[in-house]
């Protein structure tokens, strides 16, 4: 799945000398910068999903985890 993003963006930032700068980007670079900024803000891809899609994803993810997990004496849950 993918997150809808703007085709072109303007990014405001400070350079190494502390001077305000702007950068206009589009296409793949704009998409990637938006994704990176989301991660820096603590937003995950799953956060953009509807409740239904998020629930479906989490159900599949937990099922996958159950098959990946090896139960041993260090487990923190009931077997």
């Amino acid at each position: 799945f993918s997150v809808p993003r703007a085709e072109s963006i303007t990014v405001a930032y400070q350079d190494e000398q502390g001077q305000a700068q702007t950068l206009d980007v589009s296409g793949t670079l704009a998409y990637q910068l938006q994704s990176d900024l989301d991660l820096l803000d603590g937003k995950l891809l799953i956060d953009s999903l509807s409740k239904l899609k998020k629930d479906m994803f989490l159900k599949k993810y937990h099922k996958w985890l159950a098959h990946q997990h090896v139960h041993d004496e260090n487990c923190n849950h009931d077997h």
Side-chain angles (χ1 to χ4, degrees), residues 4-24:
R5 302 213 185 264
E7 174 62 28
S8 61
I9 59 171
T10 300
V11 180
Y13 66 98
Q14 290 182 341
D15 64 17
E16 294 87 358
Q17 290 76 38
Q19 299 298 311
Q21 303 288 331
T22 59
L23 177 66
D24 295 319

Side-chain angles (χ1 to χ4, degrees), residues 20-65:
Q21 303 288 331
T22 59
L23 177 66
D24 295 319
V25 296
S26 61
T28 304
L29 182 56
Y31 187 92
Q32 187 60 51
L33 280 173
Q34 291 171 84
S35 177
D36 291 346
L37 290 171
D38 280 351
L39 288 173
L40 290 172
D41 288 339
K43 297 177 191 170
L44 301 176
L45 187 58
I46 193 171
D47 296 332
S48 66
L49 298 177
S50 68
K51 180 173 177 7
L52 176 64
K53 287 184 179 181
K54 188 183 293 189
D55 290 346
M56 288 172 47
F57 171 82
L58 290 174
K59 183 178 178 181
K60 288 181 182 181
Y61 178 68
H62 287 123
K63 184 177 180 180
W64 176 82
L65 278 180

